[in-house]
CSV table of all heavy atoms in Angstrom, one decimal:
chain,number,residue,atom,x,y,z
N,1,PRO,N,21.7,14.3,6.6
N,1,PRO,CA,21.3,14.9,5.3
N,1,PRO,C,20.5,16.2,5.5
N,1,PRO,O,19.9,16.4,6.6
N,1,PRO,CB,20.4,13.8,4.7
N,1,PRO,CG,19.9,13.0,5.8
N,1,PRO,CD,21.0,13.0,6.9
N,2,SER,N,20.5,17.0,4.5
N,2,SER,CA,19.7,18.3,4.6
N,2,SER,C,18.2,18.1,4.3
N,2,SER,O,17.4,18.9,4.6
N,2,SER,CB,20.3,19.3,3.8
N,2,SER,OG,20.4,18.9,2.4
N,3,ARG,N,17.9,17.0,3.6
N,3,ARG,CA,16.6,16.7,3.2
N,3,ARG,C,16.3,15.2,3.4
N,3,ARG,O,17.2,14.4,3.2
N,3,ARG,CB,16.3,17.1,1.7
N,3,ARG,CG,16.4,18.6,1.5
N,3,ARG,CD,16.2,18.8,0.0
N,3,ARG,NE,17.3,18.3,-0.8
N,3,ARG,CZ,17.3,18.2,-2.1
N,3,ARG,NH1,16.3,18.7,-2.8
N,3,ARG,NH2,18.4,17.7,-2.7
N,4,TRP,N,15.0,14.9,3.7
N,4,TRP,CA,14.6,13.5,3.9
N,4,TRP,C,13.5,13.1,2.9
N,4,TRP,O,12.6,13.9,2.7
N,4,TRP,CB,14.1,13.3,5.3
N,4,TRP,CG,15.1,13.4,6.4
N,4,TRP,CD1,15.4,14.5,7.1
N,4,TRP,CD2,16.0,12.4,6.9
N,4,TRP,NE1,16.5,14.3,8.0
N,4,TRP,CE2,16.8,13.0,7.9
N,4,TRP,CE3,16.2,11.0,6.6
N,4,TRP,CZ2,17.8,12.2,8.5
N,4,TRP,CZ3,17.1,10.3,7.2
N,4,TRP,CH2,17.9,10.9,8.2
N,5,ARG,N,13.7,11.9,2.3
N,5,ARG,CA,12.6,11.4,1.5
N,5,ARG,C,12.0,10.2,2.2
N,5,ARG,O,12.7,9.4,2.9
N,5,ARG,CB,13.2,10.9,0.1
N,5,ARG,CG,13.7,12.1,-0.6
N,5,ARG,CD,14.5,11.7,-1.9
N,5,ARG,NE,13.6,11.1,-2.9
N,5,ARG,CZ,14.0,10.7,-4.1
N,5,ARG,NH1,15.3,10.9,-4.5
N,5,ARG,NH2,13.1,10.2,-4.9
N,6,ARG,N,10.7,10.0,2.1
N,6,ARG,CA,10.0,9.0,2.9
N,6,ARG,C,9.7,7.8,2.1
N,6,ARG,O,9.4,7.8,0.9
N,6,ARG,CB,8.7,9.6,3.4
N,6,ARG,CG,8.9,10.7,4.5
N,6,ARG,CD,7.8,10.8,5.5
N,6,ARG,NE,8.2,11.4,6.7
N,6,ARG,CZ,7.4,11.6,7.7
N,6,ARG,NH1,6.1,11.2,7.7
N,6,ARG,NH2,7.8,12.2,8.9
N,7,TYR,N,9.7,6.7,2.8
N,7,TYR,CA,9.5,5.4,2.2
N,7,TYR,C,8.5,4.6,3.0
N,7,TYR,O,8.7,4.5,4.3
N,7,TYR,CB,10.7,4.6,2.0
N,7,TYR,CG,10.5,3.1,1.7
N,7,TYR,CD1,10.0,2.6,0.5
N,7,TYR,CD2,10.8,2.1,2.7
N,7,TYR,CE1,9.7,1.3,0.3
N,7,TYR,CE2,10.6,0.8,2.5
N,7,TYR,CZ,10.0,0.4,1.3
N,7,TYR,OH,9.8,-1.0,1.1
N,8,ASP,N,7.4,4.1,2.4
N,8,ASP,CA,6.4,3.3,3.1
N,8,ASP,C,6.7,1.8,2.8
N,8,ASP,O,6.6,1.4,1.7
N,8,ASP,CB,5.0,3.7,2.7
N,8,ASP,CG,3.9,3.0,3.4
N,8,ASP,OD1,4.2,2.0,4.1
N,8,ASP,OD2,2.7,3.4,3.3
N,9,PRO,N,7.0,1.0,3.8
N,9,PRO,CA,7.4,-0.4,3.6
N,9,PRO,C,6.2,-1.2,2.9
N,9,PRO,O,6.5,-2.2,2.3
N,9,PRO,CB,7.7,-0.9,5.0
N,9,PRO,CG,8.1,0.3,5.8
N,9,PRO,CD,7.2,1.4,5.2
N,10,SER,N,5.0,-0.7,3.0
N,10,SER,CA,3.9,-1.4,2.4
N,10,SER,C,4.0,-1.4,0.9
N,10,SER,O,3.3,-2.2,0.2
N,10,SER,CB,2.6,-0.8,2.9
N,10,SER,OG,2.4,0.5,2.4
N,11,ARG,N,4.8,-0.5,0.3
N,11,ARG,CA,5.0,-0.4,-1.1
N,11,ARG,C,5.9,-1.5,-1.7
N,11,ARG,O,6.1,-1.5,-2.9
N,11,ARG,CB,5.4,1.0,-1.5
N,11,ARG,CG,4.4,2.0,-1.0
N,11,ARG,CD,4.8,3.4,-1.4
N,11,ARG,NE,4.6,3.6,-2.9
N,11,ARG,CZ,3.5,4.0,-3.5
N,11,ARG,NH1,2.4,4.2,-2.8
N,11,ARG,NH2,3.5,4.1,-4.8
N,12,GLY,N,6.6,-2.2,-0.8
N,12,GLY,CA,7.5,-3.3,-1.3
N,12,GLY,C,8.9,-3.0,-1.4
N,12,GLY,O,9.3,-1.8,-1.5
N,13,LEU,N,9.8,-4.0,-1.4
N,13,LEU,CA,11.2,-3.8,-1.4
N,13,LEU,C,11.7,-3.3,-2.8
N,13,LEU,O,12.7,-2.6,-2.9
N,13,LEU,CB,11.9,-5.1,-1.1
N,13,LEU,CG,11.7,-5.6,0.4
N,13,LEU,CD1,12.4,-6.9,0.6
N,13,LEU,CD2,12.1,-4.6,1.4
N,14,ASP,N,11.0,-3.7,-3.9
N,14,ASP,CA,11.5,-3.2,-5.2
N,14,ASP,C,11.5,-1.7,-5.3
N,14,ASP,O,12.3,-1.1,-5.9
N,14,ASP,CB,10.7,-3.9,-6.3
N,14,ASP,CG,11.1,-5.3,-6.6
N,14,ASP,OD1,12.2,-5.7,-6.2
N,14,ASP,OD2,10.3,-6.1,-7.2
N,15,GLU,N,10.4,-1.1,-4.7
N,15,GLU,CA,10.4,0.4,-4.7
N,15,GLU,C,11.5,1.0,-3.9
N,15,GLU,O,12.1,2.0,-4.3
N,15,GLU,CB,9.0,0.8,-4.2
N,15,GLU,CG,8.9,2.4,-4.2
N,15,GLU,CD,7.5,2.9,-4.1
N,15,GLU,OE1,6.6,2.3,-4.8
N,15,GLU,OE2,7.2,3.8,-3.4
N,16,LEU,N,11.9,0.3,-2.8
N,16,LEU,CA,13.0,0.9,-2.0
N,16,LEU,C,14.3,0.7,-2.8
N,16,LEU,O,15.1,1.7,-2.8
N,16,LEU,CB,13.1,0.1,-0.7
N,16,LEU,CG,14.3,0.5,0.2
N,16,LEU,CD1,14.2,2.0,0.6
N,16,LEU,CD2,14.3,-0.4,1.5
N,17,ARG,N,14.5,-0.4,-3.5
N,17,ARG,CA,15.7,-0.5,-4.3
N,17,ARG,C,15.8,0.6,-5.4
N,17,ARG,O,16.8,1.1,-5.7
N,17,ARG,CB,15.7,-1.9,-5.0
N,17,ARG,CG,15.9,-3.0,-4.0
N,17,ARG,CD,16.1,-4.4,-4.7
N,17,ARG,NE,16.2,-5.4,-3.8
N,17,ARG,CZ,15.1,-6.2,-3.5
N,17,ARG,NH1,14.0,-6.0,-4.1
N,17,ARG,NH2,15.2,-7.2,-2.6
N,18,SER,N,14.6,0.9,-6.0
N,18,SER,CA,14.6,2.0,-7.0
N,18,SER,C,14.9,3.3,-6.3
N,18,SER,O,15.6,4.2,-6.8
N,18,SER,CB,13.3,2.0,-7.7
N,18,SER,OG,13.0,0.9,-8.4
N,19,LEU,N,14.3,3.5,-5.1
N,19,LEU,CA,14.5,4.8,-4.4
N,19,LEU,C,15.9,5.1,-4.1
N,19,LEU,O,16.4,6.2,-4.3
N,19,LEU,CB,13.6,4.8,-3.1
N,19,LEU,CG,13.7,6.1,-2.3
N,19,LEU,CD1,13.3,7.3,-3.0
N,19,LEU,CD2,12.8,5.9,-1.0
N,20,VAL,N,16.7,4.1,-3.6
N,20,VAL,CA,18.1,4.3,-3.2
N,20,VAL,C,18.9,4.7,-4.4
N,20,VAL,O,20.0,5.3,-4.2
N,20,VAL,CB,18.7,3.1,-2.4
N,20,VAL,CG1,17.9,2.8,-1.2
N,20,VAL,CG2,18.7,1.9,-3.3
N,21,THR,N,18.5,4.3,-5.6
N,21,THR,CA,19.3,4.7,-6.7
N,21,THR,C,19.1,6.2,-7.1
N,21,THR,O,19.9,6.7,-7.9
N,21,THR,CB,19.0,3.8,-7.9
N,21,THR,OG1,17.7,4.0,-8.3
N,21,THR,CG2,19.2,2.3,-7.6
N,22,THR,N,18.1,6.8,-6.6
N,22,THR,CA,17.8,8.2,-7.0
N,22,THR,C,18.1,9.2,-5.9
N,22,THR,O,17.9,10.4,-6.1
N,22,THR,CB,16.3,8.3,-7.4
N,22,THR,OG1,15.5,8.0,-6.3
N,22,THR,CG2,16.0,7.3,-8.5
N,23,VAL,N,18.5,8.7,-4.7
N,23,VAL,CA,18.8,9.6,-3.6
N,23,VAL,C,20.0,10.4,-3.9
N,23,VAL,O,21.1,9.9,-4.2
N,23,VAL,CB,18.9,8.8,-2.3
N,23,VAL,CG1,19.4,9.7,-1.1
N,23,VAL,CG2,17.6,8.2,-1.9
N,24,ALA,N,19.9,11.8,-3.7
N,24,ALA,CA,21.0,12.7,-3.9
N,24,ALA,C,22.0,12.6,-2.7
N,24,ALA,O,21.7,12.0,-1.6
N,24,ALA,CB,20.5,14.1,-4.1
N,25,ALA,N,23.2,13.2,-2.9
N,25,ALA,CA,24.2,13.1,-1.8
N,25,ALA,C,23.8,13.8,-0.5
N,25,ALA,O,24.3,13.4,0.5
N,25,ALA,CB,25.5,13.7,-2.4
N,26,ASP,N,22.9,14.8,-0.6
N,26,ASP,CA,22.5,15.5,0.6
N,26,ASP,C,21.1,15.0,1.1
N,26,ASP,O,20.5,15.6,1.9
N,26,ASP,CB,22.4,17.0,0.4
N,26,ASP,CG,21.4,17.3,-0.7
N,26,ASP,OD1,21.0,16.4,-1.5
N,26,ASP,OD2,21.0,18.5,-0.8
N,27,GLU,N,20.7,13.8,0.6
N,27,GLU,CA,19.3,13.3,1.0
N,27,GLU,C,19.5,12.0,1.8
N,27,GLU,O,20.4,11.3,1.7
N,27,GLU,CB,18.5,13.0,-0.2
N,27,GLU,CG,18.1,14.3,-1.0
N,27,GLU,CD,17.2,13.9,-2.2
N,27,GLU,OE1,17.4,12.9,-2.8
N,27,GLU,OE2,16.3,14.7,-2.5
N,28,GLY,N,18.5,11.8,2.6
N,28,GLY,CA,18.3,10.6,3.4
N,28,GLY,C,16.9,10.0,3.2
N,28,GLY,O,16.1,10.6,2.6
N,29,ILE,N,16.7,8.8,3.8
N,29,ILE,CA,15.4,8.2,3.7
N,29,ILE,C,14.9,7.9,5.1
N,29,ILE,O,15.5,7.4,6.0
N,29,ILE,CB,15.5,6.8,2.9
N,29,ILE,CG1,15.9,7.1,1.5
N,29,ILE,CG2,14.2,6.0,3.0
N,29,ILE,CD1,16.1,5.8,0.7
N,30,GLU,N,13.6,8.4,5.3
N,30,GLU,CA,12.8,8.0,6.5
N,30,GLU,C,11.9,6.9,6.2
N,30,GLU,O,11.1,6.9,5.2
N,30,GLU,CB,12.0,9.3,6.9
N,30,GLU,CG,12.9,10.4,7.5
N,30,GLU,CD,12.1,11.6,8.0
N,30,GLU,OE1,11.0,11.8,7.4
N,30,GLU,OE2,12.6,12.3,8.9
N,31,VAL,N,12.0,5.8,7.0
N,31,VAL,CA,11.1,4.7,6.8
N,31,VAL,C,10.0,4.8,7.8
N,31,VAL,O,10.2,4.9,9.0
N,31,VAL,CB,11.9,3.4,7.1
N,31,VAL,CG1,11.0,2.1,6.9
N,31,VAL,CG2,13.1,3.3,6.2
N,32,ILE,N,8.8,4.8,7.2
N,32,ILE,CA,7.6,5.0,8.0
N,32,ILE,C,7.1,3.7,8.7
N,32,ILE,O,7.0,2.7,8.1
N,32,ILE,CB,6.4,5.6,7.1
N,32,ILE,CG1,6.9,6.9,6.5
N,32,ILE,CG2,5.2,5.8,7.9
N,32,ILE,CD1,5.9,7.3,5.4
N,33,GLY,N,6.9,3.8,10.0
N,33,GLY,CA,6.3,2.7,10.7
N,33,GLY,C,7.2,2.0,11.7
N,33,GLY,O,8.4,2.2,11.7
N,34,ASP,N,6.6,1.0,12.3
N,34,ASP,CA,7.4,0.2,13.3
N,34,ASP,C,7.9,-1.1,12.7
N,34,ASP,O,7.2,-2.1,12.7
N,34,ASP,CB,6.4,-0.1,14.5
N,34,ASP,CG,7.2,-0.7,15.7
N,34,ASP,OD1,8.4,-0.8,15.6
N,34,ASP,OD2,6.5,-1.2,16.6
N,35,ILE,N,9.0,-1.0,12.2
N,35,ILE,CA,9.6,-2.2,11.5
N,35,ILE,C,11.0,-2.5,12.2
N,35,ILE,O,11.5,-1.7,12.9
N,35,ILE,CB,9.8,-2.0,10.0
N,35,ILE,CG1,10.9,-1.0,9.7
N,35,ILE,CG2,8.5,-1.6,9.3
N,35,ILE,CD1,11.5,-1.1,8.3
N,36,GLY,N,11.5,-3.7,11.9
N,36,GLY,CA,12.8,-4.0,12.4
N,36,GLY,C,14.0,-3.4,11.6
N,36,GLY,O,14.0,-3.5,10.4
N,37,VAL,N,15.0,-2.9,12.3
N,37,VAL,CA,16.1,-2.4,11.6
N,37,VAL,C,17.0,-3.5,11.1
N,37,VAL,O,17.9,-3.3,10.3
N,37,VAL,CB,17.0,-1.4,12.5
N,37,VAL,CG1,16.2,-0.2,12.9
N,37,VAL,CG2,17.6,-2.1,13.7
N,38,THR,N,16.7,-4.7,11.6
N,38,THR,CA,17.4,-5.9,11.1
N,38,THR,C,16.7,-6.6,9.9
N,38,THR,O,17.1,-7.6,9.4
N,38,THR,CB,17.6,-7.0,12.2
N,38,THR,OG1,16.3,-7.4,12.6
N,38,THR,CG2,18.3,-6.4,13.4
N,39,SER,N,15.6,-6.0,9.5
N,39,SER,CA,14.8,-6.6,8.4
N,39,SER,C,15.5,-6.3,7.0
N,39,SER,O,16.6,-5.6,7.0
N,39,SER,CB,13.4,-5.9,8.3
N,39,SER,OG,13.5,-4.5,7.9
N,40,HIS,N,14.9,-6.8,5.9
N,40,HIS,CA,15.5,-6.6,4.6
N,40,HIS,C,15.6,-5.1,4.3
N,40,HIS,O,16.4,-4.7,3.5
N,40,HIS,CB,14.8,-7.4,3.6
N,40,HIS,CG,14.9,-8.9,3.6
N,40,HIS,ND1,16.2,-9.4,3.9
N,40,HIS,CD2,14.1,-9.9,3.4
N,40,HIS,CE1,16.0,-10.8,3.9
N,40,HIS,NE2,14.8,-11.0,3.6
N,41,VAL,N,14.6,-4.3,4.8
N,41,VAL,CA,14.6,-2.9,4.5
N,41,VAL,C,15.9,-2.3,5.1
N,41,VAL,O,16.6,-1.5,4.4
N,41,VAL,CB,13.4,-2.2,5.2
N,41,VAL,CG1,13.6,-0.7,5.2
N,41,VAL,CG2,12.2,-2.5,4.4
N,42,GLY,N,16.3,-2.7,6.3
N,42,GLY,CA,17.5,-2.2,6.9
N,42,GLY,C,18.8,-2.7,6.1
N,42,GLY,O,19.7,-1.9,5.9
N,43,ASP,N,18.7,-4.0,5.7
N,43,ASP,CA,19.9,-4.5,4.9
N,43,ASP,C,20.1,-3.7,3.6
N,43,ASP,O,21.2,-3.3,3.3
N,43,ASP,CB,19.6,-5.9,4.5
N,43,ASP,CG,19.7,-6.9,5.7
N,43,ASP,OD1,20.3,-6.5,6.7
N,43,ASP,OD2,19.3,-8.0,5.6
N,44,ILE,N,19.0,-3.4,2.9
N,44,ILE,CA,19.1,-2.6,1.7
N,44,ILE,C,19.7,-1.3,1.9
N,44,ILE,O,20.6,-0.8,1.2
N,44,ILE,CB,17.8,-2.5,1.0
N,44,ILE,CG1,17.3,-3.9,0.5
N,44,ILE,CG2,17.8,-1.5,-0.2
N,44,ILE,CD1,15.9,-4.0,0.0
N,45,LEU,N,19.2,-0.6,2.9
N,45,LEU,CA,19.7,0.8,3.2
N,45,LEU,C,21.2,0.8,3.7
N,45,LEU,O,22.0,1.7,3.3
N,45,LEU,CB,18.8,1.5,4.2
N,45,LEU,CG,17.4,1.8,3.7
N,45,LEU,CD1,16.4,2.1,4.8
N,45,LEU,CD2,17.4,2.9,2.7
N,46,ARG,N,21.5,-0.2,4.5
N,46,ARG,CA,22.9,-0.2,5.0
N,46,ARG,C,23.9,-0.6,3.8
N,46,ARG,O,25.0,0.0,3.7
N,46,ARG,CB,23.1,-1.3,6.1
N,46,ARG,CG,22.6,-0.7,7.4
N,46,ARG,CD,22.9,-1.7,8.6
N,46,ARG,NE,22.1,-3.0,8.4
N,46,ARG,CZ,20.9,-3.1,8.9
N,46,ARG,NH1,20.3,-2.1,9.6
N,46,ARG,NH2,20.2,-4.2,8.8
N,47,ARG,N,23.5,-1.5,2.9
N,47,ARG,CA,24.3,-1.8,1.8
N,47,ARG,C,24.5,-0.6,0.9
N,47,ARG,O,25.6,-0.4,0.3
N,47,ARG,CB,23.7,-3.0,1.0
N,47,ARG,CG,23.9,-4.3,1.7
N,47,ARG,CD,23.3,-5.4,0.9
N,47,ARG,NE,23.6,-6.7,1.5
N,47,ARG,CZ,24.7,-7.4,1.4
N,47,ARG,NH1,25.7,-6.9,0.6
N,47,ARG,NH2,24.9,-8.5,2.0
N,48,ALA,N,23.5,0.2,0.7
N,48,ALA,CA,23.5,1.3,-0.1
N,48,ALA,C,24.2,2.5,0.6
N,48,ALA,O,24.5,3.5,-0.1
N,48,ALA,CB,22.1,1.7,-0.6
């Protein structure tokens, strides 16, 4: 993507679900912190 939007996992999964519905075609999401890519955060982003 040409632009990155940031997501802090401490804000909860519902916020991430809302975020992925607003991401433009040229945008991506950077997840802040040391989390597992196999976590629910990763599942949501891969599904989207």
Side-chain angles (χ1 to χ4, degrees):
S2 57
R3 293 176 295 173
W4 293 92
R5 297 171 66 174
R6 290 204 161 185
Y7 163 71
D8 184 345
S10 66
R11 301 182 69 88
L13 295 179
D14 283 341
E15 179 160 317
L16 178 59
R17 291 189 187 95
S18 297
L19 179 60
V20 299
T21 64
T22 64
V23 171
D26 62 342
E27 291 182 326
I29 294 177
E30 291 182 330
V31 180
I32 301 169
D34 187 10
I35 69 162
V37 298
T38 63
S39 68
H40 290 320
V41 167
D43 286 344
I44 291 170
L45 292 167
R46 282 186 292 272
R47 285 181 175 277

